[in-house]
Amino acid sequence: MLFSRLRGLRARRLLLLWLLLLTDWQTGSGQLHYSVPEEAKHGTFVGRIAQDLGLELAELVPRLFRVASKDRRDLLEVNLQNGILFVNSRIDREALCGRSAECSIHLEVIVDRPLQVFHVDVKVKDINDNPPVFKGSEQRIFIPENRPLNSRFPLEGAADSDIGVNSLLTYTLSPTDYFSLKVETTDELSKSLSLELRKSLDREETPELQLLLTATDGGKPELEGAVRLQITVLDVNDNAPLFDQAVYRAQLVESTANGTLVTTLNASDADEGVNGEVRFSFGNDVSPDIQEKFKVDSVSGEIRVIGDLDYEKTKSYEIQVKAVDKGTPPISNHCKVLVKVLDINDNVPELEITSLSLPIKEDAPLSTVIALIKVSDLDSGVNGQVTCSLTPHVPFKLVSTFKNYYSLVLDSALDRETTAYYKVVVTARDGGSPSLWTTTSVSVEVADVNDNAPAFAQPEYTVFVKENNPPGAHIFTVSAMDADAQENALVSYSLVERRVGERLLSSYVSVHAESGKVFALQPLDHEELELLQFQVSARDAGVPSLGSNVTLQVFVLDENDNAPALLGPQAGSAVSELVSRSVGAGHVVTKIRAVDADSGYNAWLSYELQPSTGGSRSPFRVGLYTGEISTTRSLEETDAPRQRLLVLVKDHGEPVLTATATVLVSLVESGQIQKASLPTLTGAVGSQASLVDVNIYLIIAICAVSSLLVLTLLLYTALRCSVTPANGACAPGKPVLVCSSAVGSWSYSQQRRQRMCSGEGPPKTDLMAFSPGLSPGLNISERSEQPEVNSDPSGNVSPNLSYDFNLFLDLTSFLKYYLNSI
């Protein structure tokens, strides 16, 4: 019958298991709560965790959805296809939490991109899966036959591993006339069982009794356990020891030293002699853990500590103590000793860092989560209250996300170029006295982003290069530095392409992409290009790429590579002149005109009369800087009628370049000159009228050009004040006249072209005048021929005249030269 009853209980257990498969959940304070019955089958539904957390099913795998549970990793799992939390393996509440009233599994749900953490508590519900269990299958009780009615005999009760109503036991005793079952319950202790004698015993009539004690729990279905009571009726020693207290209470701090007295038991026996001698011992149901930490003196009844107490493992001890006399048979009695362990601050806080998101980019936004930190302290109360802090002066802070959970987040902007690495020390300190603390460090590496453009040491460089350089000559090296790292700091160089006149800039110069070396691709000519201004761009290899430009002003220095060139009929052939023998000293015979395509001292010409071959002194001289051939004295009869004058024209360059002009002078009488002049005068009278007409046209042209120039200057000034000039192509400059004094010569260069090429404005043409130094050997007349020069106070010729004003000066000078020639 007993076995059939047990089979019915099993059926009811299965029915209850299926009824408890329904779970509930709730959210609050950022935490999900679910519940699941213990012993649930694999795959049992717990909750739609993805839906309850507000996560889409499609983003679970990309965001690396994962569930972490310390020391309980395989009990629950999440199906990433449907977002359902289910039972993965057997859950035994008693194995997880023992007899604790609350039992739950704490899960950490972590997703990345961005990093988030959620906390889930799954409460494990108790089911009635453990029947009441007695320590043994039989309890032997010895009762003297002379025990009075209402005497009580303690019994060892059953234990149920379940909690709550499932562990609430009720006891029943098989029917008997001699005994009744008494059950006493207190708030702190378990139920105390005893048999109460209802009818006097007679060993001769009934020497032994066999009863069945059944324990039934409060679960549904109910589970039972039973023990057989073997009662032996004794004929001697009819008084049991009596304790002065049914319950002894004591409090000990967990740091109590070994040998400390817990309490002293006091029991007395009304018998005399050996039957009244009492010995103390632990009850048969005392656990080995209690026996390792306490001992009782069998004679004095003193209970002392013999092992280390730990509040975090066991907060209280319930000790069953037995007092037995020495009678035959011995009689015993029981009492309970309740020892409460008091907590002290003996546990250092623990730090655990998970989910590091490193390295962190220097442009990461504020509040970016870098790491998750969990703190714990095994102590209780204020001793277990932990606060976290960081080392000062770091761009990070701790944010509390949940109880004992923190996030290490970015608090201020990062700059890898200033600080590329941080060692953040996290300190956890409890509230005990004295306080205990622990530290751990987090190494935070700052990843580089391309936030720095390459920078040159200065915005503009001036380079001087001699003309006629060999093709491919290295003229300069630009260098830019980038404060970033790796590919973000890899700098490449290139030209900012534009047109220089009718040609591209890249036909003049090139720049090496890696070294920044600037090369001249062709020989440069100072007469064509005085200033080449361009920009070199430096860009890094970051994404997106950053860059900056530097301006190079390349001045082409003149070299004396052009010899003086004769103008007019003097070029290429000798010039014949007639001179009357009656002329006096200082008579101007003719004038040698020459130009030099170079500039500066390389274009400054001087004239020198070569000595005659016979060694005789020539009656002629040439002006050192004017080129005028004049007589030095009155002509004499002894002078040769034909004079061959060789005039050497040379510049002041290094080396000196020269040209030679030949003048054939014929000495004639004055009458012969008049005869020779009549045809010329006749032609001159005829052409004078046309010359007057030409002069009128020239005057009209000058007035028109001057009016146009004034209007152009006004428009140019207005545009220059209102609009910043754009980079333009360089046009060739107009011819420049180098002017001397009134007694000097006009030297007009048809090939002289000064050009300044830049990207900042229109081309510029210079009007340059030179003031040569006079040597001490020059006579007074030669000194009077020195050109008068106007220069600025610094001694340098100003190159800042505008193109239009230079054009005006050129036109005016040309017209003046033309009129003088006429």
Side-chain angles (χ1 to χ4, degrees), residues 148-450:
L149 296 179
N150 299 324
S151 295
R152 294 188 178 185
F153 308 96
L155 300 176
E156 293 181 9
D160 195 324
S161 298
D162 296 321
I163 63 169
V165 67
N166 294 329
S167 65
L168 185 61
L169 303 180
T170 58
Y171 296 89
T172 57
L173 186 65
S174 59
T176 178
D177 296 332
Y178 290 95
F179 298 96
S180 64
L181 183 63
K182 295 295 181 181
V183 180
E184 295 179 357
T185 305
T186 62
D187 295 335
E188 299 177 346
L189 306 177
S190 59
K191 293 181 178 180
S192 297
L193 304 179
S194 61
L195 290 177
E196 187 177 32
L197 187 60
R198 307 300 298 173
K199 181 180 179 181
S200 298
L201 296 175
D202 188 356
R203 190 190 65 82
E204 286 71 21
E205 289 184 4
T206 309
E208 288 184 349
L209 290 173
Q210 289 188 356
L211 302 176
L212 185 64
L213 178 62
T214 303
T216 306
D217 61 22
K220 292 185 180 180
E222 297 177 346
L223 299 179
E224 295 179 346
V227 64
R228 185 171 67 253
L229 302 180
Q230 184 70 32
I231 302 173
T232 301
V233 181
L234 303 177
D235 195 29
V236 291
N237 195 21
D238 55 353
N239 290 290
L242 296 177
F243 288 95
D244 59 354
Q245 295 178 211
V247 177
Y248 292 84
R249 302 175 186 273
Q251 292 183 344
L252 299 173
V253 295
E254 56 180 329
S255 60
T256 299
N258 291 343
T260 301
L261 178 65
V262 179
T263 188
T264 301
L265 304 177
N266 186 20
S268 59
D269 194 310
D271 295 324
E272 295 180 354
V274 177
N275 292 332
E277 294 180 7
V278 179
R279 294 293 181 264
F280 300 94
S281 63
F282 289 138
N284 297 329
D285 58 346
V286 172
S287 65
D289 181 55
I290 294 177
Q291 295 179 12
E292 292 174 356
K293 290 180 171 53
F294 302 96
K295 74 173 182 177
V296 58
D297 189 284
S298 61
V299 177
S300 64
E302 292 180 348
I303 298 178
R304 295 184 179 273
V305 178
I306 61 172
D308 295 333
L309 304 180
D310 191 351
Y311 173 85
E312 287 70 40
K313 292 183 178 179
T314 306
K315 296 176 176 56
S316 65
Y317 295 92
E318 185 178 315
I319 307 172
Q320 189 85 14
V321 181
K322 179 171 61 174
V324 182
D325 59 24
K326 290 186 176 182
T328 304
I331 300 176
S332 64
N333 203 351
H334 296 76
C335 74
K336 290 186 179 180
V337 179
L338 180 62
V339 180
K340 288 188 176 180
V341 181
L342 303 179
D343 182 43
I344 63 171
N345 193 24
D346 60 341
N347 288 280
V348 177
E350 295 180 358
L351 277 170
E352 182 182 356
I353 298 178
T354 59
S355 302
L356 289 173
S357 297
L358 296 175
I360 181 171
K361 291 186 176 181
E362 59 178 323
D363 62 347
L366 300 183
S367 301
T368 298
V369 178
I370 300 171
L372 301 179
I373 301 174
K374 177 183 177 182
V375 297
S376 60
D377 195 314
L378 296 178
D379 294 322
S380 62
V382 69
N383 296 329
Q385 295 177 359
V386 182
T387 57
C388 280
S389 61
L390 293 179
T391 50
H393 311 300
V394 292
F396 310 101
K397 66 178 180 180
L398 288 174
V399 177
S400 178
T401 57
F402 192 68
K403 181 181 179 181
N404 293 336
Y405 285 86
Y406 294 87
S407 293
L408 180 64
V409 300
L410 184 62
D411 188 41
S412 60
L414 298 174
D415 186 5
R416 189 206 64 83
E417 290 70 40
T418 302
T419 306
Y421 173 83
Y422 293 92
K423 184 176 182 181
V424 182
V425 179
V426 183
T427 302
R429 187 181 300 273
D430 61 26
S433 181
S435 178
L436 300 179
W437 54 274
T438 186
T439 62
T440 187
S441 61
V442 181
S443 298
V444 180
E445 180 183 358
V446 182
D448 183 53
V449 297
N450 193 24

Side-chain angles (χ1 to χ4, degrees), residues 735-751:
V736 174
L737 296 177
V738 180
C739 306
S740 68
S741 64
V743 297
S745 64
W746 288 92
S747 180
Y748 178 74
S749 173
Q750 296 178 346
Q751 298 178 354

Side-chain angles (χ1 to χ4, degrees), residues 36-67:
V36 63
E38 66 172 332
E39 305 295 339
K41 293 183 178 180
H42 173 75
T44 299
F45 173 87
V46 177
R48 300 185 181 277
I49 188 170
Q51 177 181 344
D52 297 337
L53 292 176
L55 300 175
E56 298 293 335
L57 295 179
E59 66 180 357
L60 296 184
V61 174
R63 293 188 65 183
L64 303 178
F65 182 97
R66 56 195 182 275
V67 176

